[in-house]
Each structure stands twice: as C-alpha cells, then as structure tokens.
C-alpha cells in the first residue's frame, strides 16, 4: 500500500505577491469592505463612547465593542482589554462597572438574552434584560462571560472562560460554567505613597 504524499503550502514568489497587491488595490470589493469596517467601528465603538458615562483615567482597547452605550457606566481607572464586548440591553438592561476593574481579552458582558421559546426565528423574539453590576477592584479574566442580572462583589476574580450568572460574593475567586466560588482572595495592601 502506497501512502499518498502530504501536501505542502505553496509560497508565492515576490512577483506573484506584488501582482496580488496591485490586484487588491484596484478591487472595488476591497474598498467596499473597508467602508463596512469603518461603519462597524463607528457604530460599535466611537459613537458608543460618546454616550457612555466613563470615569477618570480609563484604558479602553480600540477594538472593544459596545452596544447601547447610554446604559453603560464605567468607573475610574477601568481597563478594557482587546476584543471585549459590553452589550447593555436594548430597552433597560444596564452595565455598571466599579473603579479599578480589569477586563482581560475577549470578555463578554450582555445585559439581555433572547426568549427562545416564543417562536421562531430566535432573533425575532422579545428579550429578557437584567442589570449587570460589577464592584470595585474586580478582575475578569480572558474569555469569561457575564450574563444578564449578574452581580460581582468588590475584589472578586472571575477565572478565564467562566460563565457568570447570579451573584459572586466580594473577594471570591470564581471559575467554571456556571461560575462557582473555588477560593477566596487574600489581599495585602501595597504601602501608601
């Protein structure tokens, strides 16, 4: 039995890469896509920042995405990492974030969810909303998800990939899906300046 040879990725030579570049520069579809990206960035980031209540000294990644910014409140010194999504509800669901909160990359907060048992398609169903309240000095690690109605107490840490619904007490370390308290945070304060 002869084995079929494994394929190799083809490398383009310099001339082929230049031709591809020239073709892309004159392709109207590429320019239309650029306008779509600019439009998306404007309505999901730039225009939302104008209506949000943002505390002093924020650090917000340029690729963070917001929805219904008029119902989002960020405290002082909040740090929002790359590709985070903060979606307040379309009617009343708020997102309230305390001071000194750290968002790792790809964190998702949504204050609304579809009612999926009221017909089809799901996207045409009414939404259930609930405020998300995050205390001070909270760390939301990479790719955690916070669902409508969640409450996270001061000093809590939410582990990477955790899904938070309900309440996480102050100073708790929570992990899993759904997130459960797995440890307690012990804080030693840094010396005063």
């Amino acid at each position: 039995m002869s084995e079929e040879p494994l394929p190799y990725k083809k490398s383009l030579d310099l001339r082929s890469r230049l031709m591809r570049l020239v073709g892309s520069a004159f392709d109207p579809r590429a320019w239309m896509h650029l306008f779509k990206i600019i439009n998306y960035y404007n309505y999901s980031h730039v225009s939302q920042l104008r209506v949000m209540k943002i505390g002093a000294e924020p650090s917000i990644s340029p690729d963070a995405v917001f929805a219904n910014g008029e119902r989002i409140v960020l405290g002082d010194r909040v740090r929002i990492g790359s590709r985070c999504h903060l979606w307040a509800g379309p009617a009343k669901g708020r997102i309230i974030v305390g001071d000194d909160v750290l968002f790792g990359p790809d964190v998702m907060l949504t204050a609304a969810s579809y009612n999926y048992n009221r017909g089809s398609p799901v996207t045409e169903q009414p939404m259930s909303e609930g405020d998300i309240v995050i205390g001070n000095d909270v760390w939301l690690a990479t790719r955690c998800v916070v669902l409508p109605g969640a409450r996270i107490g001061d000093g809590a840490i939410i582990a990477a990939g955790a899904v938070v619904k309900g309440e996480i007490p102050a100073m708790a370390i929570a992990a899993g899906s759904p997130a459960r308290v797995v440890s307690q945070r012990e804080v030693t304060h840094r010396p005063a300046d």
Side-chain angles (χ1 to χ4, degrees), residues 74-116:
L74 303 178
D76 295 338
R77 298 168 303 281
V78 169
R79 295 179 185 182
I80 299 178
S82 184
R83 298 175 309 278
C84 288
H85 289 69
L86 281 72
W87 295 350
K92 62 181 181 167
R94 299 174 301 157
I95 295 175
I96 302 166
V97 178
D99 298 336
D100 302 301
V101 175
L102 173 61
F103 288 73
D106 297 309
V107 170
M108 173 71 178
L109 276 64
T110 180
S113 182
Y114 287 104
N115 288 301
Y116 50 82

Side-chain angles (χ1 to χ4, degrees), residues 136-157:
N136 299 322
D137 189 32
V138 171
W139 174 21
L140 302 167
T142 302
R143 294 196 177 108
C144 74
V145 177
V146 181
L147 298 175
R151 302 273 190 272
I152 301 173
D154 292 347
I157 296 174

